[in-house]
Every structure is written in C-alpha cells, then in structure tokens.
Amino acid sequence: MINIRQRLSHPFRLLLLLIPIVSLCSYLVMGDFLRWWVLLPALVQIVLLVFAYWHPKVALSTFLVVSVLADALVVDFRMYSLYGIVFAAGLLAYETSNAVAVVLVIALTSVQLIDTLIPGYDLRLRNVPSFTLIYVVAVLIGRGLRWRERRFE
C-alpha cells in the first residue's frame, strides 16, 4: 500500500491549493474565451497555484499580483478568483510573518477600495468591509495554523 504522507510533503497545502485550482478550471470550462488576452491570465493563475505547492511564497505573491493586474487591466477578464485570492492570502500568512499578514490585509483591502473608483465596475463602497473581513479571517486562519504548529514542535 502506498503511503500518501511519504509521497506528499505538504498534504494540507495540496488540498488548500486544489480548491481554487478546481474553481478556476470550472470557470475555464464554463466561459467563452474568444480572445487570448482573456484566457492567458487565467492559465497563468492556474500555473502559479500549481507551482505554489513547491514554492508558496514566490508563486502566491505573484498570483496575487497577476490576479489584481488582470482584473484591473483586462476589460473582458471575468476570472477574478476570490477563492484563489483568499487561499493565497491564507497560505502566505501561514508561510510568512505577522507583519506580512497585516500588509496583505491592507493591500488587498486597498485594491478593493481602488476598484470602487473604476467607472462601470460592479463593486460598491459598502461591499469593501465584507471583503476586508474575508481577508482578515483567511490571514488569521493561516497565522493560527502556524502558531499552532510552532507550539507543538
């Protein structure tokens, strides 16, 4: 019998990364991508999430930047993955420090605030606290798992 724990050095990271990957793949299957500049950021997001299993800090940081830039720059882009953003923020908080976790929440909330200023964008200012709470919870879960792991080492 194959021992999965020996094959996978980070089984929970794999599980947490599979959720946004499956979500993004379902968007790809359901969406109609007639233009390559709409499809390319989605594929880059999926590749970065797969790469995050081995190098989470680099891949997840890049994932956050690509997601925000694609959402802001590509008009037809409908692949803004809140699941991906939330899981990336939580895993980055797990892999880094408290200071980085706070900066993540501030940066992601700032992006939501900037999105409210874009004309024609569906986000309203009253929705920003909800997104902030989602980011805070994701970061606290990531940091909490790290604190728990350090406590029982």
Side-chain angles (χ1 to χ4, degrees), residues 55-76:
H55 302 285
K57 291 178 188 175
V58 174
L60 294 173
S61 302
T62 308
F63 173 82
L64 291 174
V65 171
V66 166
S67 298
V68 169
L69 287 177
D71 187 45
L73 299 177
V74 180
V75 177
D76 297 336

Side-chain angles (χ1 to χ4, degrees), residues 75-91:
V75 177
D76 297 336
F77 189 66
R78 300 285 181 248
M79 292 286 297
Y80 184 78
S81 171
L82 182 61
Y83 297 123
I85 299 288
V86 168
F87 283 106
L91 283 172

Side-chain angles (χ1 to χ4, degrees), residues 17 20-21 24-25 28 33 36-53 58-71 74 77 79 81 84-85 88:
L17 289 171
I21 289 171
L24 284 167
C25 288
L28 284 176
F33 297 98
W36 65 270
W37 61 83
V38 178
L39 182 61
L40 184 64
L43 294 175
V44 169
Q45 284 181 328
I46 292 171
V47 168
L48 285 170
L49 286 172
V50 170
F51 185 65
Y53 179 77
V58 174
L60 294 173
S61 302
T62 308
F63 173 82
L64 291 174
V65 171
V66 166
S67 298
V68 169
L69 287 177
D71 187 45
V74 180
F77 189 66
M79 292 286 297
S81 171
I85 299 288

Side-chain angles (χ1 to χ4, degrees), residues 22 44 60 82 95 100 111:
V22 168
V44 169
L60 294 173
L82 182 61
E95 296 289 336
V100 172
V111 167

Side-chain angles (χ1 to χ4, degrees), residues 77-128:
F77 189 66
R78 300 285 181 248
M79 292 286 297
Y80 184 78
S81 171
L82 182 61
Y83 297 123
I85 299 288
V86 168
F87 283 106
L91 283 172
L92 268 176
Y94 175 80
E95 296 289 336
T96 58
S97 65
N98 293 341
V100 172
V102 170
V103 169
L104 271 173
V105 171
I106 292 169
L108 292 171
T109 301
S110 300
V111 167
Q112 295 300 324
L113 283 170
I114 291 169
D115 283 347
T116 61
L117 302 175
I118 297 173
Y121 200 78
D122 292 343
L123 187 65
R124 304 282 179 252
L125 189 59
R126 68 176 178 261
N127 299 78
V128 174

